Amino acid sequence: MRDKECIFCKIANGDIPSKELYEDDEFKVILDLGPATRGHALILPKNHYANLYELPDGEASKVMLLAKKMAGQMTKKLGCDGFNLVQNNGRAAGQTVFHFHLHLIPRYKDDGQTLGWKPLEPTQEELEEIKKIITE
Ligand code: 5GP
Ligand code: ZN
């Protein structure tokens, strides 16, 4: 389940070195080379899945347990003040490497980073319409 051209397949399976924080049979956790903050890391499945839509349920459930464990350990060791989990799917959502990964981003008071959006102001009718589109 590897893609020969995929950089994260190569990293997750040890063909390219990385700063590893954790490894098991299914996942590797590495430091991001272009970190948003001190300690920014990535959880990579060893199998190649382009994004969340392709990620099987087994890995999907395990990845959140691993994120919880890593967030606890990193918060304790780094002394960060908060923590973001970020996961991008598709170019429109900011994905640049098309092998599923979950960002683990320690946050520090005054770290100068913003992970945000400008809130829209939908009417109750618009919210109801969206609810129907998604659920019906
Ligand atoms: P995305 O924008 O796809 O959600 O995130 C891709 C992330 O992978 C970026 O934060 C980027 O800094 C990181 N990245 C890209 N190439 C490499 C690499 O070769 N090694 C490591 N450790 N991180 C990488
Ligand atoms: Zn891959």
Side-chain angles (χ1 to χ4, degrees), residues 66-126:
L66 180 53
K68 183 181 171 191
K69 174 182 153 129
M70 292 306 303
Q73 179 180 343
M74 291 165 72
T75 299
K76 196 166 141 200
K77 301 280 182 127
L78 294 168
C80 57
D81 304 304
F83 213 94
N84 291 121
L85 299 182
V86 175
Q87 203 276 309
N88 301 324
N89 298 284
R91 269 181 234 285
Q95 186 176 12
T96 58
V97 179
F98 294 89
H99 175 125
F100 173 93
H101 51 282
L102 179 61
H103 294 261
L104 303 170
I105 308 180
R107 298 304 301 273
Y108 306 90
K109 264 183 273 156
D110 307 320
D111 63 25
Q113 295 288 8
T114 49
L115 305 177
W117 55 85
K118 188 164 75 67
L120 304 174
E121 295 178 353
T123 62
Q124 283 301 313
E125 290 73 27
E126 286 168 331

Side-chain angles (χ1 to χ4, degrees), residues 1-10 12-13 45-50 97-100:
M1 295 278 287
R2 290 201 216 174
D3 178 330
K4 280 201 200 82
E5 307 302 318
C6 173
I7 179 100
F8 281 2
C9 279
K10 291 177 185 156
N13 293 282
K46 290 188 174 179
N47 286 328
H48 180 85
Y49 308 113
V97 179
F98 294 89
H99 175 125
F100 173 93

Side-chain angles (χ1 to χ4, degrees), residues 120-136:
L120 304 174
E121 295 178 353
T123 62
Q124 283 301 313
E125 290 73 27
E126 286 168 331
L127 290 173
E128 186 60 30
E129 175 74 15
I130 299 295
K131 184 187 118 178
K132 280 197 183 135
I133 290 169
I134 295 170
T135 59
E136 286 179 4

Side-chain angles (χ1 to χ4, degrees), residues 27-41:
F27 296 98
K28 193 170 273 195
V29 182
I30 62 164
L31 288 179
D32 194 303
L33 273 187
T37 64
R38 180 172 166 267
H40 180 171

Side-chain angles (χ1 to χ4, degrees), residues 26-27 43 45 49 51-67 100 102:
E26 289 173 289
F27 296 98
I43 299 181
Y49 308 113
N51 50 42
L52 182 67
Y53 306 114
E54 290 189 3
L55 191 70
D57 289 354
E59 273 115 314
S61 52
K62 285 178 194 159
V63 82
M64 189 51 77
L65 289 175
L66 180 53
F100 173 93
L102 179 61

